[in-house]
Amino acid sequence: MADFIRTKNNIYWISALVLCCIYLMFKILNSADYTIDYPDTSTTYLPLADFFLQDPLAALRSEKAITVAPGSYIYMALLGAEKENILIANMILAIISVFIIFDTVRRLFNKKSALLAALFYAVSPTLTEVVVPVLSEPPYVFFTLVWIWSLSLIYTYPDKRWPVVLSGVSLFLSIITRGIFFYWTIAALCICAAMYFLAKRADVKKFAVRVAFSHVITAVGLSAVVVHNDYFFNTPMIATGSGAALYFGNDVVTHGYEPQYVGLLHQEWMIIDGKKSHLAPENDARLKYAALERVKDTPLKELAIFYINKLGVNLFFSKEHLNDYILNKRTLRISLIILALYGCFILFHNPVVVMYFFITAYAVAVLIPVMYNQRYSIGNIDLLLVIMAGMGTAVLFSKSFKTIVFVFTLIFLLSAIGGLHMAYSHPLVPNTSNRHVKMALLADENSIGFNGLEGNPFIDTVHTIDNEASITWSSFDDRKKGGVPILQIDIETLDSRCRKVYFKYTADGIAPRVESLRLDGFNSPGLLNFGTQPFDRLGHKNGSITVTFECPIATEMKFNSMALYLSQAGRYYRERLPEELKVIR
C-alpha cells in the first residue's frame, strides 16, 4: 500500500512537471525569441561551426576561433551547424532543465519548493530570451544548471565520486561556452577554504573539500585551453571580447549601456587598427587598455555612483525596455530577488545554499564593469534566481501569516518604487557632460524654423498655440565629423505637462524617419539629448530634423540653444596607448 501511494504521488509530481514543459514549449513557439536572427549567429557562430566540421584542428588554431568561447561553436558543430537542428536541441535542453531544476531543489528542501522553482522557470518571460536563440547562451545556461545541480548531488551523495567529476566537467563546459565564471574558480577555492575552517559540522567540511576538488578539475581543463590560446594567439584567455565589454561598460556617455539604448553606435573604430575585428587579440588588448585608462581617469566618487547605477540596472533592468509602470520585468525581478534572499536567509545552514548565494553574488558582480545589455543580465542571474526563489516561496508559506504579509508588502513597496522610478526618472539619453564630448555645430537663427508656437522660443518665452509644437533645424551638413552626432536642446522652460517628444529626420534619397522619447522625469531647466544612430548618423545630404513636443495648448517654452555634439573619447585614448599597442594608419 505504501509503495502504491508513493507511486501515485510520483505520478502527480511528474504530471505537474509535464504540464510545465507543455506550457514552456507553447511559450517558446509563440515568442519572438524563437524567430530572431541575431547578427552574431550568421557572422560568427555558424561560420566557425562550419569551419570546425571541415577541419577541427585548423578551426581551433584559426584567429577567428579566439573571438568566441570554443564551446559555443563546437556545440553548434555537433548539431551539423544547421540553425533548425540547433533550435530543436535548445528546446530539448530547455525541457530537460525543468526536471533538473525540480531535482535540484527537491534535494535541498522539498518537492513543493522544487515544483515552484520548475514553474518559475517555465513561466518566466525573461528566460525564453536566453534558452532558445542560436547563440552561446542556451548551452551555457544548460551546463551552468547541470553544475548547480551537481553541487546538490555532492552534498546528498557525500561518498560518491561521480558528482564531483560531474561538477568539475559541467562548470568547465559552462566556462568554455561562455566565460562568465572564468574567475569564479579562484573565488570558489577561497570560499571553500573559509567554509572548511569556519564550519563546525563534519558534513560541511567534507562538502567544502569535495567542491574545492571539483573546481580543481575545472581549473585543469581551463588551463589547457588558456595555454593553447596563449601559444597560438598570445592571449591567455578563453576568448577575446572582454576589452570591448569593459570599454563600452565604462563609457559615461552611454551610462555603460549598450550604445544603441541611447541612440548611439559602438565606436571601437576610434581605437582599433581598422584592419581587423575589435575581437582580434591585438584590438582586444587596445580596448582593454583604454577601458582601464577610462576607469583611472574617473574620480572615485563618480565611479562609485556610476557602478551603483550599473548594479541597479543589472538587477532591475533599464526603463528603456519596460512598458507598464508596475506589471513589468522589473517587478518580476524584484519578486524573485526578495524571495531568493528570504530563502537564502532561512536556509543558510545548508552549505549548498551558501554556495548558491555566492555564485549569484559573483554573477551579479561581474556584470557591473562590463557593458549593460538586458540579455546578459538575464543569462547571468535569472536561472539562479528562479531556483532560490522556488525555495524561498516554499519556506515563506510555511511561516506565519504575518511573515507572509510582511514579505509581500515589501515586494509591493519595492515594485511601487520601481514604478515611480519608471515614471519620474530622467529619460534615458546620452550624457554630454563628459569632457570628451565636443560640439560639432551650433544652430543659428537662420537655420531654425518653428510651428505651433506664438513666437521664436530661442528668443523669448512663448506659448504653444497647438497640441503639437515643433522646431525644425536644416542645413547641418557642414558640421564636424567623427562619430555619431548627439542632438542637444538646452531647455530653459518646458511645462511638465509635455509628456512626449518626437524626432523626425528627412533627407535626400530616404524615407522620413521618426523616433519618440517619453518626457517622464524631465525637469527644466535641463539638457534634452538624442542619439542620431536611428537616423543613419545624419549621414544623408540636405538633411533636416524636426523636434515636435506633445503639449497642451498655452503651455510655456523657452530654449537657449540647439546643437550637435560628438563623443570622441576613443581618439583621446588611442593617443595614450603604449608603444606596443600603437595604431598605425
Side-chain angles (χ1 to χ4, degrees), residues 229-246:
N229 289 343
D230 189 36
Y231 179 79
F232 286 100
F233 312 117
N234 195 31
T235 304
M237 294 287 291
I238 297 298
T240 58
S242 59
L246 288 167

Side-chain angles (χ1 to χ4, degrees), residues 75-109:
Y75 167 78
M76 296 181 188
L78 293 174
L79 297 165
E82 295 289 340
K83 184 178 178 181
E84 293 74 17
N85 294 347
I86 298 165
L87 283 170
I88 292 170
N90 291 348
M91 291 181 199
I92 292 171
L93 294 183
I95 295 300
I96 294 172
S97 296
V98 172
F99 293 91
I100 295 178
I101 288 172
F102 179 84
D103 190 64
T104 300
V105 181
R106 176 188 69 84
R107 294 175 182 279
L108 297 175
F109 195 58

